[in-house]
Amino acid sequence: MKYKTPLFLSLLSCWITVQGQSGLAQFLKPADSLDRCRRNEVLVSEAALSAIVLVGLNQFWYADYPRSNFHTINDNAEWLQMDKAGHVYSSYQLGNFGKNALQWSGVSRKNQLIYGASLGFVFLSAVEVMDGYSSKWGASLGDVAANASGTALFVSQELLWKEQRITPKFSFHSTPYASARPEVLGSTLNEQILKDYNGQTYWLSVNVHSFFKQTKIPKWLNVAFGYGAEGMVTGKDAFTNPIFLPESERLRQFYFSFDADLTKIQTKSHLLKSVFYIFNSIKIPAPTFEINSRGTMKFYYLYF
């Protein structure tokens, strides 16, 4: 009978091995072939972090509201679909992280896409199930479709181009709407970044050189197409205070801007590559053109 090393001892052995590696740069360098120590670290870390987040949500979010039988809701018309854009973005970014984490551990490209890129869809769908058992909310099929869209956007580019040419990104600016309903839109800046849809903008940032590889266009240059909305203090088009918010008409906003793909910046430093990878999920401030659903056009010298 073949003896199997207990998982704890296996991880401890991996940790000791990592300490013997020559610095952080070596640790950040992706493995050329399957590294079982790294793979185990990735799987255990992702499972533990997901469990902690889900348990935390259950205790600090859902516990304050009555439970119910599993049910679904149709919230597709709410918040001018800004919440759905957020689900596409989150699912894509989590899948991107999952794929790259497995790439770092040397897992095959096929398994990177099957088990890594699906991380966002699986995790966010688990949250949706928890919503389904809460009497205050409900599982949104629109959210599930948005989660699937974010995952599909990532996987389809890997299959078609073997690279990410179109990257969802995020930017935020504070708005006066949060102070009208802080319990929903956030009372602090950190809360508003997550909750105030009026200040959020979701972008599709397109790398120009990747579509014209024979040109001298800088490899890092992107053009970005953004979507935002404002005038919302409730999910639906409900009455608002016309004195406090005189211009509270709900508007869709469409943007065109320039951006940079930080992962295309050439460097031999694996530390810098990691930093560029992390911040590549955020749209950089840049000159921006806007047109809204009322037909009004604006130009910003620097929009974020």
Side-chain angles (χ1 to χ4, degrees):
M1 179 177 178
K2 186 177 180 180
Y3 172 76
K4 292 186 177 180
T5 304
L7 180 59
F8 170 76
L9 293 179
S10 176
L11 290 174
L12 179 60
S13 175
C14 291
W15 182 84
I16 293 172
T17 300
V18 168
Q19 303 312 303
Q21 292 180 346
S22 56
L24 180 61
Q26 182 64 28
F27 172 75
L28 293 174
K29 182 180 179 181
D32 296 326
S33 58
L34 177 61
D35 186 322
R36 288 183 171 82
C37 287
R38 289 189 174 191
R39 182 196 60 188
N40 291 340
E41 289 174 353
V42 168
L43 296 178
V44 171
S45 298
E46 288 182 355
L49 183 59
S50 298
I52 290 171
V53 172
L54 292 175
V55 170
L57 281 173
N58 184 64
Q59 293 299 316
F60 299 107
W61 188 271
Y62 297 101
D64 293 335
Y65 303 97
R67 305 286 179 168
S68 68
N69 293 328
F70 184 82
H71 63 288
T72 62
I73 59 171
N74 183 350
D75 61 350
N76 294 335
E78 296 186 4
W79 301 111
L80 294 179
Q81 294 78 52
M82 284 297 293
D83 57 328
K84 301 300 181 281
H87 276 267
V88 172
Y89 169 84
S90 299
S91 181
Y92 176 97
Q93 294 298 342
L94 285 172
N96 188 12
F97 169 79
K99 184 263 183 186
N100 280 280
L102 289 180
Q103 181 180 13
W104 171 79
S105 64
V107 171
S108 69
R109 184 172 179 275
K110 176 182 177 181
N111 287 337
Q112 290 172 26
L113 295 181
I114 294 175
Y115 301 108
S118 62
L119 174 64
F121 179 78
V122 172
F123 176 78
L124 293 174
S125 295
V127 174
E128 212 60 47
V129 170
M130 297 174 73
D131 278 350
Y133 284 103
S134 173
S135 60
K136 183 174 176 62
W137 293 281
S140 168
L141 298 182
D143 287 354
V144 174
N147 297 338
S149 298
T151 299
L153 177 61
F154 182 86
V155 173
S156 61
Q157 292 187 78
E158 288 294 324
L159 295 176
L160 183 61
W161 298 315
K162 295 184 174 59
E163 64 178 350
Q164 296 297 303
R165 299 183 179 184
I166 304 172
T167 305
K169 294 193 177 187
F170 173 83
S171 65
F172 177 83
H173 59 272
S174 59
T175 75
Y177 299 97
S179 60
R181 205 177 177 204
E183 71 279 8
V184 173
L185 301 180
S187 58
T188 66
L189 179 60
N190 288 338
E191 290 182 350
Q192 291 166 15
I193 290 174
L194 296 175
K195 296 181 178 181
D196 185 5
Y197 294 120
N198 300 281
Q200 298 176 357
T201 306
Y202 291 98
W203 304 83
L204 288 178
S205 186
V206 182
N207 183 253
V208 181
H209 181 270
S210 62
F211 288 97
F212 304 97
K213 292 184 180 291
Q214 304 305 317
T215 67
K216 295 183 179 180
I217 297 173
K219 293 183 178 181
W220 51 263
L221 179 63
N222 281 22
V223 293
F225 303 90
Y227 174 65
E230 68 175 28
M232 305 174 293
V233 294
T234 63
K236 299 179 181 178
D237 192 6
F239 174 78
T240 58
N241 187 328
I243 298 176
F244 182 73
L245 297 172
E247 298 179 2
S248 59
E249 178 186 355
R250 291 157 61 93
L251 294 173
R252 300 179 188 273
Q253 299 158 314
F254 305 93
Y255 300 94
F256 174 79
S257 183
F258 294 99
D259 191 30
D261 186 339
L262 301 181
T263 65
K264 295 293 195 298
I265 297 176
Q266 297 295 317
T267 176
K268 294 182 179 180
S269 169
H270 292 289
L271 176 58
L272 282 178
K273 287 181 180 179
S274 299
V275 172
F276 291 155
Y277 165 75
I278 293 171
F279 284 97
N280 200 50
S281 61
I282 301 173
K283 164 75 169 62
I284 67 170
T288 300
F289 173 78
E290 173 200 334
I291 182 170
N292 62 34
S293 55
R294 194 163 41 187
T296 304
M297 293 181 287
K298 297 180 181 179
F299 177 78
Y300 303 88
Y301 289 104
L302 206 62
Y303 178 87
F304 189 70

